[in-house]
């Protein structure tokens, strides 16, 4: 995924220009806002699950419509990990007709929760703990986990294996979306990243270099302040997807800050988060048949 200096840069980029603002966003990670209701939502069933992987046992949350079979979706959360906000998002997505798995990416080190209820990123101990957790993940762990998690989904009765699987990622989860789609190109039909960090780097394992191996359609939703710091990222991604002849909707969301999509974020932007959510649903409806 990234080297240590890249992880530090990711943390600095994760809100506005100051650590004070980053701390304010982190504080919001313990507060779950109410997501907008969904008309005609399906009844859902959700449960905490344990998934065996080559590296241990991953804790996760699996939720799906109560009736029938549905396309599977794998969600990679941000640095604050598996928590109520992501269970809420997964349940909402299940209400739209998908069998959704949201995982604890840090299971090798500890079970969820992996961040305090109200984390203060300005606190040296909290910051170090979260960055250390993030530093345990890399390109290899992402592929190992992607294969295990998709295999879990495919083994569940509510998952329709005749349909493609989708994967989504937030912040640090963005690169995992690319790695999942590249590792399982025949199975993954859609990928969506939201304020993803490190999608284009100068490293030989940069996620964007995997695009030629991918067969999925993509949505890349970019925060405005991320684009201001790295304006070349969107252009590199557009060029890479075009050369691979893959459909990709790549957009900078006006007025947004890194982290704007999860409802517990201090920088949550409801109108733009809803726009991104609607574009994700449109992608899924077109790509998972």
């Amino acid at each position: 995924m990234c080297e240590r200096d890249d992880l530090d840069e990711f943390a600095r980029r994760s809100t506005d220009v100051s650590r004070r603002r980053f701390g304010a966003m982190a504080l919001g990670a313990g507060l779950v806002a109410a997501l907008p209701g969904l008309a005609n939502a399906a009844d859902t069933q959700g449960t905490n699950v344990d998934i065996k992987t080559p590296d241990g046992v991953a804790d996760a949350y699996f939720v799906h419509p109560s009736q029938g079979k549905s396309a599977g979706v794998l969600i990679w959360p941000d640095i604050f990990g598996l928590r109520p906000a992501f269970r809420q998002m997964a349940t909402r997505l299940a209400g739209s007709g998908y069998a959704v798995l949201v995982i604890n990416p840090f299971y090798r080190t500890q079970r969820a929760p992996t961040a305090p209820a109200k984390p203060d990123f300005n606190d040296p101990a909290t910051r170090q703990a979260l960055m250390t957790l993030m530093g345990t993940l890399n390109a290899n762990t992402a592929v190992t986990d992607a294969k295990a998690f998709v295999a879990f989904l495919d083994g569940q009765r509510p998952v329709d294996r005749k349909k493609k699987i989708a994967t989504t990622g937030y912040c640090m989860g963005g690169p995992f979306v690319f790695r999942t789609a590249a590792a399982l190109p025949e199975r993954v039909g859609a990928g969506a990243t939201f304020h993803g960090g490190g999608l284009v780097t100068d490293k030989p394992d940069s996620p964007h270099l995997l695009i030629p191996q991918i067969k999925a359609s993509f949505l890349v939703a970019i925060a405005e302040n991320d684009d201001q710091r790295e304006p070349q990222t969107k252009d590199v991604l557009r060029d890479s997807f075009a050369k691979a002849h893959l459909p990709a909707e790549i957009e900078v969301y006006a007025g947004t800050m890194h982290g704007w999509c999860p409802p517990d974020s201090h920088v949550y932007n409801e109108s733009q988060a809803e726009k991104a959510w609607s574009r994700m649903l449109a992608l899924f409806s077109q790509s998972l048949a």
Side-chain angles (χ1 to χ4, degrees):
M1 187 175 133
C2 302
E3 301 296 334
R4 180 70 196 189
D5 55 346
D6 295 320
L7 299 180
D8 290 334
E9 176 62 18
F10 173 82
R12 287 193 292 270
R13 290 194 302 107
S14 291
T15 56
D16 203 2
V17 295
S18 71
R19 292 182 66 210
R20 178 176 298 177
R21 292 201 179 198
F22 194 98
M25 185 198 79
L27 180 63
L31 307 174
V32 182
L35 286 169
L38 176 66
N40 302 317
D43 291 333
T44 62
Q45 295 180 354
T47 185
N48 295 319
V49 296
D50 286 337
I51 303 169
K52 291 184 179 180
T53 82
D55 293 339
V57 178
D59 49 314
Y61 182 68
F62 180 53
V63 58
H64 55 85
S66 300
Q67 303 294 326
K69 292 180 177 290
S70 309
V73 180
L74 168 61
I75 298 178
W76 300 95
D78 56 28
I79 196 171
F80 299 113
L82 177 59
R83 59 189 190 276
F86 272 86
R87 290 185 175 90
Q88 183 184 21
M89 293 160 67
T91 300
R92 185 189 187 195
L93 186 53
S96 290
Y98 297 95
V100 186
L101 180 68
V102 56
I103 54 86
N104 167 21
F106 305 120
Y107 71 88
R108 291 173 179 82
T109 304
Q110 68 183 85
R111 295 177 67 87
T114 53
K118 297 180 180 180
D120 179 2
F121 217 82
N122 287 325
D123 173 64
T126 299
R127 177 186 175 90
Q128 182 60 42
L130 291 174
M131 296 300 288
T132 297
L133 281 174
M134 188 173 169
T136 64
L137 306 178
N138 55 48
N140 292 329
T141 62
V143 172
T144 295
D145 289 348
K147 292 178 178 178
F149 297 149
V150 170
F152 171 86
L153 279 169
D154 280 341
Q156 305 308 301
R157 179 197 57 78
V159 174
D160 187 348
R161 293 192 62 183
K162 295 179 181 179
K163 295 182 178 180
K164 296 285 189 176
I165 277 178
T167 180
T168 68
Y170 297 76
C171 304
M172 74 163 202
F176 297 159
V177 170
F178 282 71
R179 300 196 190 287
T180 302
L184 298 159
E186 303 300 330
R187 193 70 189 92
V188 179
T193 72
F194 305 92
H195 38 86
L199 301 182
V200 176
T201 75
D202 59 0
K203 303 293 192 298
D205 64 349
S206 176
H208 84 282
L209 298 177
L210 295 171
I211 291 174
Q213 303 174 36
I214 291 171
K215 295 184 179 181
S217 300
F218 260 71
L219 166 68
V220 180
I222 303 171
E224 184 175 67
N225 69 330
D226 284 341
D227 181 63
Q228 290 170 348
R229 293 184 187 87
E230 297 180 353
Q232 74 283 2
T233 291
K234 61 182 181 297
D235 300 322
V236 172
L237 289 172
R238 286 171 180 157
D239 182 63
S240 298
F241 277 110
K243 288 180 178 178
H245 305 289
L246 288 175
E249 179 179 314
I250 301 167
E251 181 178 351
V252 176
Y253 281 62
T256 62
M257 296 177 65
H258 185 91
W260 93 86
C261 285
D264 61 350
S265 171
H266 181 75
V267 296
Y268 176 56
N269 184 320
E270 181 177 342
S271 63
Q272 292 289 54
E274 286 302 292
K275 176 184 175 182
W277 188 270
S278 70
R279 298 310 304 154
M280 176 186 69
L281 292 180
L283 171 70
F284 290 179
S285 68
Q286 296 166 3
S287 305
L288 301 184

